[in-house]
Every structure is written in C-alpha cells, then in structure tokens.
Amino acid sequence: MNFEQVIYSRRSVREFTTQSIDEMTLRQLIDAAIQAPSAVNEQAWSFVVVQDKRLLSRISSLAKAHMLTAPPTGVVSQHFQELLSDPNFDIFYGAPALIVISSTTVGPWATENCALAAENLMLAACSVGLGTCWIGFAQTWLGTADGRAALDLPASCLPVAPIIVGHPKSAPPPVPRREPEIRWIAP
Ligand SMILES: Cc1cc2nc3c(=O)[nH]c(=O)nc-3n(C[C@H](O)[C@H](O)[C@H](O)COP(=O)(O)O)c2cc1C
C-alpha cells in the first residue's frame, strides 16, 4: 500500500478473526509509533501490550462499570448507557491484542505525544492489513489506580491511547467525512 492508500483506507475495525498477532509484528507497530514527533523530542511514551484474554475481559467489565458511574463530560447518551449496561458488550470487540500508549510524564503535551504515536501505529497496522480502533471507553478506568495496577504501570504514567489490534474479519464500512471548515487568511 502506498501512503495515500493507507491514509484513505484506514478505518476503525470492530470485528476480528481469532488469529493472534506475533510479537515481531507488534514490535514493528510500536517501532512505527515511536517515529512520531514529540514535544521537545521527549519521547515520553511507554507501551503495554495485553494479549491475555482474561485480563482484556476484566478490563472491559470494569471500564464499562466505571464509565456508567463516572462518565467523562459530554459522553452521556442513551445509546452509550445501553451499550455500557449490556453484559455481552465487549469494549475491545474480541480483539487479540490491546496496546496501551501511556505518557511517562505529566507535561503539557502528554496527550498530544501519545496521540501522534497512536496514529502512526494505526496507520502502520493498516499498511500490513491489520485493523485497529482507539478504545476511549477504556481510557478513564485505565487512568485509575486500579487500572494502572492492571497494566503494571507506575503512578507517574498516564494511559492515553488504548488501541486494539487484530486481523479484520471483513472490510470496515466507509465513514464519510464532512466538508472541512477552512478559513483562508490571505495577504
Ligand atoms: C479518542 C478516540 C476515542 C474513541 N473511542 C472509541 C470507543 O471507545 N469505541 C469505539 O468503538 N470506537 C472508538 N473510537 C473510534 C471512532 O468512533 C472512529 O475513529 C470514528 O467513528 C471515525 O471512524 P474511522 O476511524 O473508521 O474513520 C475512538 C476514536 C478516538 C479518536
């Protein structure tokens, strides 16, 4: 795939085959992630790869419960309430791997650094035929003391980008983009 194909064909994937992903491929995705720019070139990110299905299921249950009791501002909707209350809803969609990108500092650009690494990782995955999806539902619980403990992360780390990775079951549907709002300021 060339650059344009990757940019235009990456879509969030929510259906996966049961095929696992080998360590070398996961390392290649992380290597692509760390090519991202970072503020003051701090490279203040760390990666946790979870492939333990029992842990993924536990995180899904606890993150759903946490989202219902303490939803982030602006995330309350009837649809989300129903989804998060459904015991059969797996926030990780059965993906064989979750890569959590965390900031190792609490500096002003902690989120930006990790988000850029996450996009690199998602594009790299797309280029080798893998599917990814950023799972915001997991984010708030992973940031709690229990969440950090589940990932074996020190208290100084802030989980920013939980990205599931797997082999797509089918091609995800297109997600049309709205016309961008552009203001041209010409001389
Ligand atoms: C910060 C962030 C959080 C997201 N959280 C979720 C999530 O919890 N569950 C989910 O299914 N998709 C999640 N997504 C995926 C978006 O729904 C998706 O990117 C959007 O609908 C556009 O579709 P596309 O990625 O296929 O282009 C998230 C995306 C971002 C950037």
Side-chain angles (χ1 to χ4, degrees), residues 129-140:
L130 291 170
T132 57
C133 185
W134 182 313
I135 303 298
F137 278 160
Q139 236 164 297
T140 45

Side-chain angles (χ1 to χ4, degrees), residues 28 40 163-164:
Q28 281 166 351
V40 207
I163 311 289
I164 50 170

